[in-house]
Each structure stands twice: as structure tokens, then as C-alpha cells.
């Protein structure tokens, strides 16, 4: 690109979108929209907005992420997670634009203990995972240039996430029961945003080997390492500060069977990030280090 690209960013108030607004600003003009500016549940509104903005790059971190609620609102989850990405992809193809989209470890069924690779068979266990997989397929079918980044267990210093929930509950309750048999990689939203900007910076460079290879497709992008939700909670507690009048909560590990939820969760959420490193030379830091920076 000879001129700075126009970047259309969805979900600007979400935890990933908030970080992307900052990291993408060095690459071009960022038009950041939240759900009030562009309702992803309204396909016609999405199409009209993209045509009015005529972006060079569309970055879509917005999603319906209420995993349990999706079981009772499958139509809304499908509209946001499947139909809207398809519309964005169709409009990207019409404009010759690049679409960057975020997906999830929940597209897999969680069997085994081997980290999932991008071309492994998908078999989602719940409505959320099924709608996210449908969104991936809609993007692929549209034929636009696209990058789909699957990630897992996203958290940050704002919004609604496991980190903030645990920090609150650890001060309110003497004991917390935390699932210990689901394994994955907690991923800091800032690391996701910075890695995304690095990828786009490489693609925008005419000297980039990645650009010559046309690296479109699906990539896994998580912080390095693995743990359980219980292990994540322990790490949060170890790094948190409690006043002298507040005894740290006891964190009791439990199996998923002892914590039934409307949506079934995968036990193995490990994602293999080798493709990201091989293609772009990018590896996200270990999740312990990321958590320390986020809480620091």
C-alpha cells in the first residue's frame, strides 16, 4: 500500500477492540465502531456501514461471547458470530479489502491432550462454538483475503473476564470452587492486539516475505504455556495484593462434572501456535509473564 490504509474496527469497546484501537493506529486511519455504531445482528446495517466507510482493512474482534446464554439465544448468536462475518467477508471481497477476524478454541471438541492445529477437524460442543465455526466457513466461502486468528481464554484489565471476576470473588468469599480439568492458555488481549498489528505491518511492507507468500487463512494465536482454570486462579491470587484484614480465599479444584453449565466446555483447549511463528516469526509471551504485566 502506497498510502496509509483505512481500517474499519468493530467492537471498539470490547477488551480486544479497545487494545486494537491503540495498536492499529500506527498502521493507518482507524475508524473504530462499537455496537451502537454498527449492530452486528443487523446484516443490512453491517453491509451499509462497510460500503459507506470503504475500508482497506476490516478488523472484527466483535462477537457474541455469552457462552451459556447462547444456548437459549442461538439465533442472535448465529446472527452476530456467523452471518455478520460472512457479510463483512463479502464486502471485503467486493472492495478488495483484507478481513481480520477472531475465532475460538471452542470450535474443537476438546478431546485428547495434544494442542489443536489449524487443519484439525472441528466439532464444537456448544452453540457458541458452532456459530463461531460457521463464521469461519462464511469468511472462507466469500473468497476475500482473510486472516482468522483463533485464540483462547481472553482476559484483560477491563470488560468482563475471568481475571476481573476472580479478583472480585476472592475478596467476597472465603472459598471458591474452580474447575481444574479444562486445560488451555490464558491470553492477554493486549498481546493479541500487538501481535495482530505486527502481522498487518508485515503484510503492508512491500519487502515482506510473508506478503509474497500470500499467507491468508486460519492461525492460532495464544499466549505460550498452558494451565487449568484453577491454575489460572492460583496465579491471579499469587500476584494480587490483599489488605491485612482480608484473608485470601481458599481455591478448591473441582472437575467440570461438579460445575454443570448450560453450555458444555471442551476439556482440551490447547492450541498449537507453530504456524503463526513459521509464517510471521511471531510468538506470544508465556501466559505467566503476560498476567504479571496485566496485573502490574
Amino acid at each position: 500500500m502506497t498510502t496509509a490504509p483505512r481500517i474499519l474496527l468493530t467492537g471498539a469497546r470490547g477488551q480486544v477492540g479497545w487494545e486494537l484501537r491503540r495498536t492499529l493506529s500506527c498502521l493507518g486511519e482507524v475508524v473504530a465502531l462499537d455496537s451502537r455504531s454498527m449492530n452486528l445482528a443487523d446484516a443490512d446495517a453491517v453491509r451499509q456501514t462497510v460500503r459507506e466507510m470503504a475500508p482497506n482493512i476490516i478488523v472484527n474482534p466483535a462477537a457474541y461471547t455469552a457462552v451459556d446464554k447462547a444456548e437459549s439465544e442461538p439465533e442472535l448468536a448465529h446472527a452476530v458470530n456467523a452471518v455478520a462475518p460472512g457479510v463483512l467477508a463479502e464486502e471485503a471481497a467486493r472492495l478488495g479489502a483484507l478481513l481480520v477476524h477472531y475465532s475460538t478454541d471452542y470450535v474443537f471438541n476438546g478431546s485428547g491432550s495434544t494442542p489443536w492445529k489449524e487443519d484439525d477437524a472441528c466439532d464444537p460442543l456448544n452453540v457458541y462454538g458452532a456459530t463461531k465455526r460457521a463464521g469461519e466457513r462464511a469468511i472462507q466461502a466469500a473468497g476475500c483475503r482473510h486472516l482468522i486468528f483463533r485464540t483462547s481464554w481472553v482476559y484483560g484489565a477491563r470488560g468482563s473476564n475471568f481475571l476481573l471476576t476472580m479478583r472480585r470473588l476472592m475478596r467476597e468469599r472465603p472459598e471458591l470452587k474452580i474447575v481444574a480439568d479444562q486445560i488451555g492458555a490464558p491470553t492477554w488481549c493486549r498481546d493479541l492486539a500487538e501481535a495482530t498489528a505486527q502481522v498487518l505491518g508485515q503484510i503492508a511492507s512491500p519487502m515482506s516475505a510473508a506478503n509474497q507468500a500470500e499467507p491468508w487463512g486460519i492461525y492460532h494465536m495464544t499466549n505460550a504455556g498452558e494451565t487449568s482454570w484453577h491454575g489460572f486462579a492460583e496465579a491471579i491470587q499469587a500476584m494480587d495484593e490483599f489488605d491485612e484484614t482480608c484473608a485470601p480465599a481458599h481455591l478448591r479444584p473441582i472437575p467440570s462434572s461438579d460445575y454443570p453449565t448450560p453450555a458444555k466446555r471442551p476439556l482440551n483447549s490447547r492450541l498449537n501456535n507453530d504456524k503463526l511463528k513459521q509464517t510471521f516469526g511471531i510468538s506470544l509471551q508465556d501466559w505467566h509473564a503476560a498476567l504479571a504485566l496485566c496485573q502490574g
Side-chain angles (χ1 to χ4, degrees), residues 222-244:
T222 68
N223 279 117
E226 64 182 55
T227 189
S228 65
W229 289 112
H230 179 263
F232 189 16
E234 286 187 316
I236 293 168
Q237 187 178 67
M239 294 180 187
D240 210 349
E241 294 183 359
F242 296 86
D243 61 53
E244 295 180 355

Side-chain angles (χ1 to χ4, degrees), residues 254-273:
I254 62 170
S256 298
S257 58
D258 284 0
Y259 189 74
T261 54
K264 187 176 181 180
R265 265 70 167 175
L267 296 180
N268 175 23
S269 285
R270 303 169 179 89
L271 296 180
N272 185 308
N273 292 284

Side-chain angles (χ1 to χ4, degrees), residues 39-228:
N39 179 10
L40 290 184
D42 185 340
D44 291 337
V46 172
R47 195 179 303 278
Q48 179 180 348
T49 299
V50 176
R51 293 188 177 185
E52 290 174 353
M53 298 294 180
N56 306 104
I57 301 172
I58 302 170
V59 181
N60 181 43
Y64 182 109
T65 57
V67 176
D68 288 322
K69 197 173 182 181
E71 297 295 311
S72 59
E73 294 184 340
E75 295 85 3
L76 179 57
H78 183 78
V80 175
N81 291 345
V83 176
V87 171
L88 291 173
E90 290 168 2
E91 292 305 305
R94 187 181 66 83
L95 291 167
L98 167 64
L99 172 62
V100 179
H101 178 73
Y102 296 84
S103 192
T104 173
D105 57 288
Y106 279 31
V107 300
F108 299 112
N109 64 18
S111 61
S113 59
T114 303
W116 297 98
K117 295 184 178 180
E118 287 82 355
D119 57 358
D120 284 336
C122 294
D123 181 24
L125 300 176
N126 52 48
V127 169
Y128 168 70
T131 60
K132 292 296 289 183
R133 177 55 180 156
E136 294 180 356
R137 287 177 168 168
I139 291 169
Q140 292 169 324
C144 68
R145 293 182 299 147
H146 65 271
L147 295 168
I148 298 172
F149 296 132
R150 289 182 184 145
T151 189
S152 68
W153 299 17
V154 178
Y155 70 91
R158 66 186 311 276
S160 176
N161 57 65
F162 186 81
L163 167 65
L164 299 183
T165 299
M166 285 298 103
R167 294 188 72 182
R168 173 176 57 82
L169 292 179
M170 286 173 188
R171 286 168 166 76
E172 296 177 352
R173 302 180 185 178
E175 180 180 86
L176 296 174
K177 299 176 182 179
I178 312 292
V179 170
D181 58 354
Q182 297 172 23
I183 308 298
T187 302
W188 188 20
C189 56
R190 182 169 299 176
D191 282 346
L192 273 181
E194 291 182 350
T196 299
Q198 290 176 44
V199 170
L200 292 179
Q202 289 187 32
I203 291 173
S205 170
M207 300 300 293
S208 170
N211 186 46
Q212 300 302 317
E214 296 190 347
W216 319 124
I218 297 175
Y219 293 84
H220 291 169
M221 182 184 283
T222 68
N223 279 117
E226 64 182 55
T227 189
S228 65

Side-chain angles (χ1 to χ4, degrees), residues 147 149 199 202-203 210 215 219 275-282:
L147 295 168
F149 296 132
V199 170
Q202 289 187 32
I203 291 173
Y219 293 84
K275 183 180 176 184
L276 182 71
K277 183 176 182 179
Q278 292 165 0
T279 305
F280 298 105
I282 294 172

